[in-house]
Amino acid sequence: MTDQAVEREVGRARLRKEDARLVTGQTLWTDNITVPGLLHLAFLRSPMAHARIERIDVSPALRRPGVVAAFSGRDLADGLGSLPCAWPVTEDMVLPDHPPLAVDEVRHAGDPVAVVVARDRYAAADALEAIEVDYEPLPPVMDLEAALAEDAPLVHAAEGTNRAYVWPFTAGEDYETVRQRADVVLTRRYEQQRLIPNAMEPRAVVVTPLAASGEYTVYSATQIPHILRVMLSTVTGVPEHKLRVVAPDVGGGFGSKLQVYGEEAVALAVARKLGRPVKWTESRSEGYLATHHGRGMIQDIEIAATREGKLLGLKVDLLADMGAYLMLVTPGVPILGAFMYPAIYKMDSYAFTCTGVFTTKTPTDAYRGAGRPEATYAIERIMDELAAELGLDPVELRRRNWIRHEEFPYTSIAGLTYDSGDYEAATDKALALFGYDELRAEQRKRRERGDRVLLGIGVSTYTEMCGLAPSRVLRDLRYSAGGWEAASIRMLPTGKVEVVTGTSPHGQGHVTCWSQIAADVLGVPFEDVEVVHGDTQAAPQGMDTYGSRSLVVGGAAVHRAAQKVVDKARKVAAHLLEASEDDLEFKGGVFSVKGSPEARKTIQEVAFATFTSHDVPDGMEPTLNAEHVLDPENFSYPHGTHLCAVEVDTETGHTRIRSYVCVDDVGRVVNPMIVEGQVHGGLAQGIAQALYEEAVYDAEGNLVSGTMADYLVPSAADLPEFVTDRTETPATSNPLGVKGVGEAGTIASTPAVVNAIVDALRPLGVHDVRMPCTPERVWQAIRAARKEASA
């Protein structure tokens, strides 16, 4: 008999188990689901940003072919409560009701006012035009600053204000005192444009009722099946134990499916009312209006420093666009960023204030990074501005202020304890791969020649807080849930393994990575591990997937549960081998007696012996199964350095990314191939914000970038080749030593690109270009700077 495990799984670049069925179409998306008697829903949405519903008549739709039922918001009001907000960030936060179907007033273009139920989706969609609605227009509220004026029209008149909350935070010395002793004080305003998530799979929901028992199965393209189950019970009154929520294979989310949407609640209410299964799948243009947006923020930043470049203090004032309603974590998203504005830097004072503002736009909520990209953008942009003001190289300025590797663990000015890191190593490796000195030399020559196409070099150093989060920290932030995660291991009689996880993947590779983790601990082949997820019946405990928490919390829970299986198996093996547990070694899936290697039992043999229960220790249950619920002791803090070189045509404003290098430290790596994929995807989304994407509204509140023809989502052809590498400082807060990676690329890349563009244009007098940095905006910035210089 030989050891079973020939190579450690953790650290191997394994092809993903999930991919075969995905690429061959042998999978189950929510929209693929069909059941006997299935009916289809279509939603009528407001064409106006703000209006009072004077009259709505759905009866004409009932006369259309194939239509079974139609309901207004008032028709369903008795069975539907307000959609939830789980993050009341202050005691006095304004929290208006959010009906799943508008009843009296619509507050953004796309707000649903009625639903049609028909025998097929086309009949349902066609019948929408028959519904009669009379609207009384009300003033739209579009500008964040104007919304706070005393005479501003109100999004929610009954609340008497458009100010949702004010959240202040201060740390260290008094900022004004620190400011007084500074040699240099810079203020800048940055705008985070609204972004529209574009997951490959649109949102969809199927609800199947079991009338005899009052039970319902909800299939949804969601990131949060467990949270959705709790919240749907709250909104609809269906008892939680009568609800089963299933997230089948989900085609991307990026935060947009971290939500409890009105369409899900309405689908459940309609299925309950009719006793029939129902389905709804959004169209792409419908999703642009109805799926929550990301970002949307004005950032006023002030930084104080000495003439030698030592940071003294940072002051941040945010106006955060909530949109029309506070959805699941809407108010908390900018608050997450509050802890990240100081980033990797040491300073004496930090002052932060965020004001949440209601507007008549689609609500905002989590979008890849959720508050941390906004924070990193602001601090990294103003660090470049400070470097220019002081005549310092931007890398040198960062070196003078960052936390040194020997100072870890380090408690930041914002109160977070960074457990490990090495910013020097990541930066040195990135500079070498990038050829920083050579590019700076080329830049100088181009400037001296007066080239039409200028070279710019952008730097972004970052850290982020992810692995959400210790439950007591979430309590202190007034978040309504905990940050724990659950996992269980079922050791089957045949020696195969089922891992049950509370995390719910939508493209991250959980099945593969969890198999690698379990295989290593248990000493079984990778192929012998199956992962069960995304079903509240099969995996009843979980807090789901967001905030780069899956591996750090969920994967660590799998690791702990697998260790418990080994501990239980050790007792049985010791009994079978007539040895003390302390005398057993476990390696490669085999228990052996120290000094007597021929006395051995594989873990599979132990599993079968436990199943038969013919000869197990007295009082032991006949199972090796184990579970673990892990509440993390800290966030995890990945970090890295991203460098971007761009060429900017000063006559046309066209920007081309010439090279992009990033070196990230995500702790120990379970699967390098998956890490690379996550970094590449993150870079694409961060670069997209810098150069391409923006949700644009007109003065009346109409979304004018409501299709892919108007909203620019880059393809692979629009992006450069990336040079990626890693350094490794293991996390100390979890047993795997891992840190998050799902959002790192997005967080770091946006400021790297914009810093590069501004760096190219700085000799012309350009100090900022508003995102996205389209050719027109770059050209306008050049033109304005030249005009100012000649005035």
Side-chain angles (χ1 to χ4, degrees):
M1 185 181 300
T2 60
D3 289 356
Q4 303 171 112
V6 295
E7 185 177 349
R8 277 188 60 82
E9 285 294 336
V10 170
R12 289 184 69 182
R14 278 279 192 182
L15 291 174
R16 301 196 328 170
K17 285 185 173 182
E18 302 91 324
D19 287 349
R21 70 172 188 276
L22 295 175
V23 299
T24 58
Q26 299 179 68
T27 189
L28 189 66
W29 311 107
T30 302
D31 190 52
N32 298 149
I33 295 169
T34 184
V35 294
L38 184 66
L39 300 174
H40 295 262
L41 306 184
F43 288 87
L44 182 67
R45 300 184 183 278
S46 169
M48 308 183 73
H50 198 196
R52 188 172 292 111
I53 301 172
E54 294 288 289
R55 183 183 71 92
I56 182 166
D57 185 0
V58 300
S59 60
L62 296 172
R63 296 191 285 271
R64 290 298 184 98
V67 172
V68 173
F71 304 101
S72 68
R74 195 169 299 282
D75 295 332
L76 294 177
D78 289 343
L80 286 173
S82 178
L83 293 174
C85 174
W87 206 333
V89 294
T90 64
E91 288 186 14
D92 60 351
M93 186 183 80
V94 175
L95 182 56
D97 282 345
H98 184 184
L101 284 180
V103 177
D104 299 313
E105 199 170 306
V106 294
R107 294 183 170 88
H108 68 90
D111 213 356
V113 299
V115 61
V116 170
V117 190
R119 292 188 176 88
D120 65 66
R121 68 198 315 170
Y122 307 106
D126 289 344
L128 294 177
E129 66 183 16
I131 297 175
E132 298 173 1
V133 188
D134 293 335
Y135 294 104
E136 179 190 343
L138 296 171
V141 180
M142 305 302 295
D143 181 87
L144 291 178
E145 291 178 303
L148 297 177
E150 286 188 13
D151 59 348
L154 299 176
V155 180
H156 300 274
E159 304 295 347
T161 181
N162 289 323
R163 185 178 283 103
Y165 65 86
V166 178
W167 195 89
F169 177 78
T170 58
E173 299 179 42
D174 174 69
Y175 177 76
E176 289 304 320
T177 302
V178 168
R179 187 182 191 275
Q180 290 302 314
R181 67 171 189 261
D183 301 313
V184 178
V185 177
L186 291 184
T187 60
R188 293 290 187 269
R189 168 167 284 201
Y190 301 122
E191 293 187 35
Q192 291 283 329
Q193 77 271 37
R194 275 177 168 252
L195 302 177
I196 301 177
N198 277 276
M200 187 175 290
E201 178 199 21
R203 291 189 294 121
V205 59
V206 172
V207 181
T208 62
L210 186 60
S213 60
E215 296 176 306
Y216 300 86
T217 298
V218 178
Y219 300 90
S220 180
T222 182
Q223 298 174 218
I224 52 167
H226 298 89
I227 294 173
L228 181 60
R229 182 190 189 205
V230 173
M231 294 304 187
L232 282 181
S233 176
T234 301
V235 173
T236 65
V238 176
E240 185 184 350
H241 67 288
K242 296 289 188 179
L243 274 177
R244 174 189 179 193
V245 176
V246 180
D249 281 316
V250 175
F254 315 117
S256 70
K257 294 171 183 173
L258 166 56
Q259 193 54 266
V260 178
Y261 283 104
E263 293 89 353
E264 293 164 318
V266 169
L268 179 53
V270 170
R272 188 182 196 183
K273 199 173 188 75
L274 301 181
R276 297 275 299 275
V278 300
K279 176 193 285 188
W280 171 76
T281 302
E282 73 178 0
S283 67
R284 184 65 65 178
S285 57
E286 188 178 23
Y288 272 47
L289 287 168
T291 295
H292 74 239
H293 293 175
R295 313 288 192 255
M297 185 185 294
I298 296 173
Q299 303 170 305
D300 287 313
I301 312 297
E302 183 173 287
I303 197 166
T306 68
R307 63 175 54 90
E308 293 78 26
K310 180 183 184 301
L311 297 188
L312 298 177
L314 180 68
K315 185 172 183 286
V316 177
D317 287 297
L318 304 184
L319 291 181
D321 189 350
M322 304 286 98
Y325 300 101
L326 302 182
M327 298 190 75
L328 193 65
V329 294
T330 301
V333 167
I335 304 307
L336 277 177
F339 300 95
M340 286 285 97
Y341 282 86
I344 66 174
Y345 307 116
K346 296 179 285 188
M347 60 190 71
D348 300 329
S349 178
Y350 175 48
F352 173 94
T353 304
C354 178
T355 302
V357 184
F358 289 113
T359 60
T360 51
K361 302 177 189 176
T362 299
T364 58
D365 209 295
Y367 180 74
R368 197 169 190 168
R372 288 103 75 207
E374 297 93 311
T376 300
Y377 181 84
I379 186 63
E380 289 303 290
R381 283 288 295 113
I382 204 165
M383 284 294 284
D384 260 33
E385 294 298 297
L386 180 60
E389 181 74 15
L390 296 171
L392 290 173
D393 181 277
V395 175
E396 175 58 27
L397 178 65
R398 288 163 170 82
R399 288 188 192 278
R400 294 184 185 187
N401 288 284
W402 65 34
I403 303 155
R404 299 186 305 275
H405 71 275
E406 66 269 15
E407 295 179 281
F408 288 95
Y410 185 90
T411 300
S412 76
I413 187 75
L416 300 177
T417 300
Y418 300 168
D419 63 323
S420 66
D422 192 336
Y423 308 140
E424 302 98 307
T427 302
D428 288 345
K429 181 177 276 193
L431 292 172
L433 290 169
F434 190 62
Y436 186 80
D437 292 339
E438 293 85 350
L439 283 167
R440 284 293 185 199
E442 180 185 342
Q443 181 186 59
R444 286 191 295 272
K445 290 178 182 177
R446 285 195 183 203
R447 288 176 177 177
E448 290 165 2
R449 290 196 305 262
D451 280 8
R452 175 175 63 87
V453 178
L454 294 177
L455 178 65
I457 298 166
V459 182
S460 175
T461 51
Y462 79 98
T463 189
E464 61 153 324
M465 52 187 285
C466 56
L468 294 175
S471 295
R472 292 182 181 181
V473 172
L474 292 178
R475 173 203 62 194
D476 294 341
L477 292 174
R478 299 181 59 83
Y479 184 61
S480 298
W484 53 267
E485 193 49 77
S488 61
I489 306 287
R490 297 197 287 248
M491 197 79 193
L492 304 179
T494 55
K496 310 303 181 185
V497 178
E498 288 179 337
V499 174
V500 181
T501 178
T503 63
S504 182
H506 45 283
Q508 296 91 334
H510 292 188
V511 171
T512 301
C513 289
W514 283 207
S515 296
Q516 290 179 273
I517 292 168
D520 266 3
V521 177
L522 299 173
V524 300
F526 170 80
E527 296 77 12
D528 286 357
V529 183
E530 191 68 31
V531 178
V532 178
H533 60 81
D535 183 340
T536 62
Q537 187 175 84
Q541 286 186 293
M543 290 303 295
D544 305 317
T545 297
Y546 41 85
S548 298
R549 71 186 300 273
S550 291
L551 179 60
V552 175
V553 190
V558 170
H559 179 86
R560 293 290 197 204
Q563 287 180 323
K564 287 182 177 180
V565 169
V566 173
D567 291 342
K568 292 176 78 171
R570 183 184 300 276
K571 295 180 184 300
V572 178
H575 179 79
L576 295 173
L577 294 169
E578 298 181 344
S580 166
E581 290 180 43
D582 295 336
D583 290 337
L584 290 189
E585 292 180 335
F586 181 68
K587 182 181 179 181
V590 177
F591 292 98
S592 60
V593 179
K594 296 174 184 177
S596 302
E598 69 285 354
R600 51 203 285 136
K601 290 286 183 182
T602 68
I603 196 167
Q604 291 91 340
E605 290 172 323
V606 173
F608 188 77
T610 306
F611 164 70
T612 64
S613 199
H614 293 169
D615 188 15
V616 295
D618 292 341
M620 182 172 179
E621 295 179 350
T623 173
L624 296 184
N625 300 345
E627 64 179 36
H628 189 83
V629 179
L630 185 144
D631 200 339
E633 63 186 62
N634 193 2
F635 296 91
S636 75
Y637 301 98
H639 69 82
T641 298
H642 288 222
L643 300 168
C644 178
V646 300
E647 292 181 326
V648 182
D649 189 322
T650 58
E651 291 187 1
T652 66
H654 180 263
T655 297
R656 181 181 77 89
I657 297 179
R658 178 168 135 179
S659 62
Y660 195 101
V661 168
C662 63
V663 175
D664 297 295
D665 190 324
V666 296
R668 290 205 172 98
V669 172
V670 173
N671 188 313
M673 187 180 299
I674 289 176
V675 167
E676 286 291 298
Q678 287 288 310
V679 170
H680 280 219
L683 293 175
Q685 285 188 274
I687 292 170
Q689 179 174 7
L691 296 179
Y692 300 110
E693 296 189 29
E694 183 178 23
V696 179
Y697 286 86
D698 66 17
E700 299 303 315
N702 300 302
L703 181 65
V704 297
S705 57
T707 71
M708 283 191 171
D710 310 295
Y711 184 92
L712 302 182
V713 179
S715 70
D718 299 305
L719 298 168
E721 290 201 17
F722 305 123
V723 176
T724 64
D725 208 333
R726 291 186 300 277
T727 55
E728 184 178 303
T729 54
T732 63
S733 57
N734 66 76
L736 294 168
V738 295
K739 304 176 182 179
V741 69
E743 295 160 305
T746 303
I747 288 167
S749 56
T750 307
V753 174
V754 178
N755 276 343
I757 293 169
V758 175
D759 181 65
L761 302 179
R762 199 177 294 281
L764 306 181
V766 174
H767 301 288
D768 192 31
V769 180
R770 187 163 64 90
M771 295 188 293
C773 301
T774 61
E776 180 184 4
R777 283 187 178 161
V778 171
W779 181 79
Q780 290 284 11
I782 295 169
R783 186 182 180 201
R786 284 173 171 166
K787 186 176 180 180
E788 183 178 336
S790 63

